[in-house]
Amino acid sequence: MAVAGINFSPASGSAPGHRATAAQRGATALAFRNIDDSDMRRVLTYVVENGDRFEAGVRIDCLDALKAGVANQQIRRALMAAARKDQNPAVRMKALESLRDAGRR
């Protein structure tokens, strides 16, 4: 799947978290309720961990969403991998910021 972009918006109604939509070059491919959704975590961490397959802007959007769930080990591993290995310095910085902010909580 070629992810062209990921959009986040507040969850509708009284549902907690955010809703994410991953767009596939002109068509909506996936929609998730919040960061606690295992499918959402799987897609977002996949994008972050496979940086060479996705644009830097998409990876940064994923990191923004993942920082809310940094207590989750799967998410923390993805953030650490991005901080160490991503070829884009802005992505590495965003991952480090998310990990740093988690340490302050």
Side-chain angles (χ1 to χ4, degrees), residues 6-96:
I6 297 180
N7 299 310
F8 300 95
S9 58
S12 60
S14 61
H18 290 77
R19 182 174 56 84
T21 304
Q24 181 182 15
R25 301 267 185 239
T28 299
L30 304 165
F32 306 104
R33 273 204 339 234
N34 63 40
I35 197 67
D36 293 327
D37 184 276
S38 63
D39 290 331
M40 180 176 177
R41 277 195 317 270
R42 189 175 320 116
V43 169
L44 297 177
T45 56
Y46 179 83
V47 170
V48 170
E49 291 171 336
N50 294 277
D52 56 334
R53 301 180 76 186
F54 302 95
E55 295 179 7
V58 172
R59 295 192 312 273
I60 289 173
D61 288 345
C62 290
L63 289 169
D64 275 337
L66 288 171
K67 70 181 177 183
V70 75
N72 179 284
Q73 279 191 329
Q74 176 186 15
I75 292 172
R76 189 177 295 264
R77 275 194 306 268
L79 292 172
M80 289 189 292
R84 280 183 287 195
K85 300 176 186 176
D86 199 281
Q87 70 265 19
N88 187 294
V91 173
R92 290 193 307 267
M93 286 298 297
K94 183 59 120 175
L96 287 171

